[in-house]
Amino acid sequence: MSEAPGWDAIDGALAQLYDGVEPTHWAPELPWSLGGPDPLDGISVYPRTDPVPHWHYLGYGMSELYEKEWDNPAESGWGFEFTFRLVRLPTDTVPPVWPGNFMQNLARYVFQSGKWFEPGHTIKANGPIATDRADATVHAVGFAVDPELGGIDTPNGSLQFLQIVGLTMPEYRAAQGGNLLTLLAELEPLLPLFVTDVERESLIAEPPPKVDWPRWGGGLRGRQ
């Protein structure tokens, strides 16, 4: 029997999309389970040319990769694994490292706070999500089911591939109140596979400011 049945199930799903493609793979020097700082045991990155050239990042560690330890038999770990898609030049051969660090930061937040992400959630960063690009326009992200990978069943329970989608601040504000998935459905023709370009212009105008009308005490009274 496999010592990492959850990991093998994820690799099986990726093989259907990337059969024969060797990804770039990163792993922490010291695993989280042994006191290391990074919760994800690995991040694989696949080069893509369609529908637009991009890098497809996949994390390993939010679900139960090895033996079953969580009480819920129907769900594996937190019930998801992070994915991210970053636009690239066709000539680029080495994926940027910063998305991997960003994924580790999100995983660290979940593990330390006990609060997890679901499709439709949003979170604002303290600046550009690309830490090496001070002038980048994407300062927030939302979460949606990866449009190609969806979800899978593993020997340790089910999981969704939860894609991190970069948002400009006008888009982030428009997504508040549970509107992210509706917004992404509208933007999808302009964001194929929700590929993130950290330097793109906002695809929507700034939402109008909310008007606070004056409140009159005692109700309205007609002329006597």
Side-chain angles (χ1 to χ4, degrees), residues 34-76:
L34 297 179
D38 297 323
L40 300 181
D41 283 3
I43 297 173
S44 288
V45 191
Y46 292 84
R48 284 286 294 269
T49 58
D50 61 324
V52 295
H54 68 277
W55 299 107
H56 194 186
Y57 294 71
L58 294 302
Y60 296 79
M62 303 306 297
S63 63
E64 293 169 282
L65 303 174
Y66 311 106
E67 61 183 342
K68 181 66 181 177
E69 297 179 342
W70 292 48
D71 293 335
N72 185 354
E75 193 170 66
S76 179

Side-chain angles (χ1 to χ4, degrees), residues 137-153:
T137 56
V138 171
H139 289 214
V141 298
F143 299 89
V145 176
D146 188 295
E148 288 187 316
L149 292 174
I152 60 172
D153 292 322

Side-chain angles (χ1 to χ4, degrees), residues 200-216:
R200 67 173 174 81
E201 297 296 325
S202 180
L203 299 177
I204 66 170
E206 185 71 52
K210 189 176 180 180
V211 177
D212 291 327
W213 295 101
R215 297 180 180 179
W216 305 100

Side-chain angles (χ1 to χ4, degrees), residues 43 51 104 112 131 151 219:
I43 297 173
Q104 290 284 15
Q112 292 176 344
T131 53

